[in-house]
Amino acid sequence: MAKVISTLFISADGVAEIDPDWHFPYFDENMGRAVSEDYDTADVLLIGRETYDSFAGAWPDREAAGGDDAPFAKQLGDMRKVVVSRQPLEFSWRNSELIKGDLLDAVTSLKADAGSRGILVPGSISVVQQLLAAGLLDELRLLVHPVAARKGRRLFDDGDTPYHLRMTAMEAFPTGVIRVTYSPTAAPVKAGYDDVKEHAPAGE
């Protein structure tokens, strides 16, 4: 089964809607390496309409311009791009297609496709939220910026059931950015104060 991996830039207070003012000051060679490593795990991009419009409005021109980021732009162009949208779209970026039918059914089929090496979901907050709720997300890769954004859309929306996560990797960058990878996991055994009081501070 192909893994579904979410990769997100996020603030310390959970905002995943990027504001260039708090994002770009922390983008260095370490973050660039991390982004490259995430994209190298996949051959399919699963993206929402807004993320697709943003990518398609920038990366084809950067590939054509032949600058320093042209190789990465070509990599994005060569990848299969499956776009989540409730409305029909006309695609100008190569290898782009509209998701067929229900999102969850389509992702289940993508995961089972023997030809898929990996499915990456960059940004696309609403898509990630739906996959988390349905238990279809295998990894959540966060680049946590040392800033409280205080406004913008948050990754974890309100709900009745907590998401329990297991940390599988962590790296701290000199900028203060923390790269952390989580996998969904079962809830821990229930506990109350009486179960943990032996670990409480002893005091003086």
Side-chain angles (χ1 to χ4, degrees):
M1 295 283 284
K3 281 187 176 182
V4 178
I5 296 171
S6 163
T7 179
L8 286 162
F9 304 120
I10 191 167
S11 68
D13 58 342
V15 173
E17 181 180 350
I18 298 173
D19 183 335
D21 286 343
W22 62 253
H23 168 56
F24 284 117
Y26 295 102
F27 201 106
D28 65 354
E29 66 276 10
N30 296 290
M31 193 180 292
R33 169 181 53 82
V35 170
S36 294
E37 289 172 356
D38 287 347
Y39 278 85
D40 286 344
T41 65
D43 53 1
V44 178
L45 291 184
L46 177 65
I47 45 181
R49 167 69 182 272
E50 291 184 9
T51 302
Y52 177 82
D53 287 345
S54 175
F55 278 27
W59 290 110
D61 290 342
R62 291 171 181 168
E63 180 181 354
D68 292 342
D69 54 2
F72 182 64
K74 182 180 185 303
Q75 179 182 353
L76 294 182
D78 290 343
M79 295 178 76
R80 179 184 178 190
K81 290 166 284 291
V82 182
V83 185
V84 182
S85 175
R86 294 186 178 90
Q87 301 174 347
L89 298 176
E90 292 186 7
F91 296 112
S92 58
W93 198 13
R94 67 185 185 276
N95 299 323
S96 300
E97 62 190 79
L98 189 65
I99 203 165
K100 294 180 175 64
D102 177 74
L103 169 63
L104 304 183
D105 290 341
V107 171
T108 300
S109 295
L110 283 172
K111 285 170 67 72
D113 185 350
S116 294
R117 181 165 55 87
I119 303 153
L120 190 69
V121 189
S124 309
I125 302 170
S126 63
V127 175
V128 175
Q129 289 173 339
Q130 292 178 70
L131 297 181
L132 269 171
L136 288 174
L137 192 70
D138 296 293
E139 286 187 2
L140 187 60
R141 299 184 179 183
L142 304 178
L143 286 159
V144 185
H145 295 49
V147 58
R150 304 185 67 195
K151 63 179 180 178
R153 190 172 181 188
R154 285 172 165 75
L155 170 59
F156 299 109
D157 53 358
D158 290 339
D160 296 327
T161 305
Y163 292 127
H164 294 278
L165 306 170
R166 176 173 59 90
M167 187 178 71
T168 59
M170 192 276 288
E171 180 182 7
F173 299 158
T175 56
V177 169
I178 299 172
R179 182 190 189 189
V180 60
T181 300
Y182 291 111
S183 293
T185 191
V189 176
K190 287 186 177 181
Y193 178 73
D194 286 342
D195 300 302
V196 302
K197 62 185 179 182
E198 64 181 283
H199 305 299
E204 295 296 333

